[in-house]
Amino acid sequence: MERRDHTVTSAGLRLHVTQWGAPTARPVVMLHGIRGYAETFAAVAAALQPERRVIAFDQRGRGTSDWDPQHNYYTDAYVNDLAAVVEGLGLDRFDLLGHSMGGINAIVYASRYPSKVNRLLVEDAGPGAFEASPGAIRIRRELATTPGHFASWDDARDFMRALRPSVTEEAREQRLKSMLRPAEGGGFTWQYDHMGIAATRLNPDPARVVDLRPHVAALACETLVVRGGNSDYLQPEMVDAMQRLNPRIRSAVVPDAGHYIHDDQPALFHQLARDFLLPTH
C-alpha cells in the first residue's frame, strides 16, 4: 500500500499528515480521538484499497504534530485545522470519518462545509456522549489519573492493557508505539500533550464547548453513525435522538465492541466502512 507523509501548517502549528493509496483515488479523510493519532487508521486504510486515497493527520497536540502552547484544544480549533489540511491538499469533495472526538470534529466540519463532504461516517460519537455518558466520566477520570512517566516499556504495556482490555495485543502495541517516546533520564513519556489536553478537557471554557445538536440537524450529506454494542460512550438513546434531529442519518451497531470499534472488532468495522464508503451505485 502506497504511503506518503508530509506536513501542513494551521495557525502556526505543523500538522503531520499521512496518506495511503493512489494519489488519484477518491479521498476519504479520517479523524482520530482525544488521545489518538493518524496511524490508528492504517488497517482501515488497507481495507479500503485500492479504491480510496485515505488521509489522516495527527491532530494538534498528538503524534508528531506540534503541541499548542496556548492549550487551544477545542472543537473550533480542530475544525479549522481540518479546513487547513483540506485546503493544503487541494481537496474538492471527499468522504469523512471521525472517531470519538474526531467524530465531533467531523460532524461540525460537515455541517459548516456541506459542499465539501460527500459521505460522513461517525464512529461512536454524538450529542450528549461528550458531556454526561459513563464513557465521558471514564475519559475524564483517565485523563486525571494517567501517569506522565513509565520506568519501562513493560510498565506502559501493563497500564495500557488495564486501560484498554478489549483491544487486541497488536492494536495495543501499535498504540504504545504511536503514543510514547523516550523520556529524558530514562523510561518513557507520552508523545501527546497530556497536560494541555487534560486541562482543556477537565476544565473547559463553557463558551467554547460545542452544542452538537444544531450541527447534527444541519448535516446535508449521507451519514452513518456506528455505535459499539458495548460502548459506554455513545448510548442507544443518543443515536435515536440524532435520527430524530436528522432523518437522513442511518445507524449501525457493531456487537462485542466498546468505544474503540475499529480496534475491538476490526473486521466488522472494515466491512461497514467498505459498504458505506464504497457504494456500488
Side-chain angles (χ1 to χ4, degrees):
M1 179 172 58
E2 186 178 349
R3 174 182 177 138
R4 300 168 298 285
D5 289 89
H6 53 96
T7 299
V8 170
T9 300
S10 174
L13 300 180
R14 295 168 299 173
L15 305 176
H16 172 236
V17 181
T18 299
Q19 299 190 55
W20 295 274
T24 55
R26 289 178 57 188
V28 52
V29 178
M30 299 188 178
L31 303 175
H32 63 72
I34 191 168
R35 284 173 294 178
Y37 44 86
E39 195 69 26
T40 191
F41 293 119
V44 185
L48 295 175
Q49 299 306 307
E51 295 92 342
R52 285 291 187 268
R53 166 193 175 195
V54 175
I55 301 158
F57 62 98
D58 296 329
Q59 297 185 79
R60 60 173 59 204
R62 285 86 168 174
T64 55
S65 291
D66 285 345
W67 296 9
D68 190 328
Q70 305 301 317
H71 296 171
N72 186 8
Y73 298 117
Y74 289 96
T75 302
D76 58 335
Y78 295 127
V79 171
N80 289 341
D81 288 345
L82 174 55
V85 170
V86 169
E87 182 179 359
L89 299 182
L91 300 181
D92 181 22
R93 192 165 172 84
F94 55 92
D95 296 327
L96 183 58
L97 183 156
H99 170 241
S100 192
M101 180 197 79
I104 295 172
N105 302 340
I107 289 169
V108 174
Y109 180 91
S111 74
R112 290 184 179 173
Y113 299 92
S115 66
K116 287 290 190 180
V117 180
N118 181 46
R119 290 171 182 257
L120 172 63
L121 196 161
V122 179
E123 181 187 354
D124 220 62
F130 176 88
E131 295 84 5
S133 69
I137 296 170
R138 168 183 56 79
I139 290 168
R140 288 195 293 268
R141 182 178 64 248
E142 291 174 0
L143 288 171
T145 60
T146 292
H149 178 271
F150 299 97
S152 69
W153 193 266
D154 284 341
D155 287 348
R157 183 182 288 119
D158 290 343
F159 172 80
M160 188 62 73
R161 185 178 291 115
L163 199 65
R164 300 285 177 265
S166 64
V167 306
T168 65
E169 286 293 326
E170 180 183 7
R172 194 176 293 118
E173 201 69 15
Q174 184 207 55
R175 282 180 172 272
L176 290 173
K177 290 177 180 177
S178 297
M179 295 173 72
L180 291 177
R181 59 179 172 82
E184 293 184 16
F188 297 89
T189 189
W190 297 112
Q191 190 169 253
Y192 70 92
D193 186 3
H194 178 74
M195 296 298 292
I197 292 166
T200 304
R201 184 66 175 89
L202 296 174
N203 297 289
D205 176 353
R208 298 190 66 189
V209 176
V210 68
D211 180 359
L212 270 186
R213 291 171 298 178
H215 295 285
V216 169
L219 291 173
C221 58
E222 291 192 53
T223 301
L224 175 66
V225 175
V226 181
R227 179 182 175 272
N230 299 332
S231 175
D232 61 355
Y233 191 72
L234 185 65
Q235 304 299 297
E237 61 271 19
M238 296 173 181
V239 178
D240 292 342
M242 294 174 75
Q243 293 181 299
R244 287 195 298 272
L245 283 168
N246 192 329
R248 185 188 299 270
I249 294 174
R250 291 186 278 154
S251 66
V253 177
V254 176
D256 298 320
H259 180 50
Y260 301 85
I261 305 171
H262 67 274
D263 282 340
D264 291 353
Q265 293 290 345
L268 294 177
F269 185 80
H270 296 168
Q271 189 59 56
L272 271 174
R274 284 191 60 85
D275 290 346
F276 182 66
L277 298 174
L278 306 179
T280 56
H281 58 275

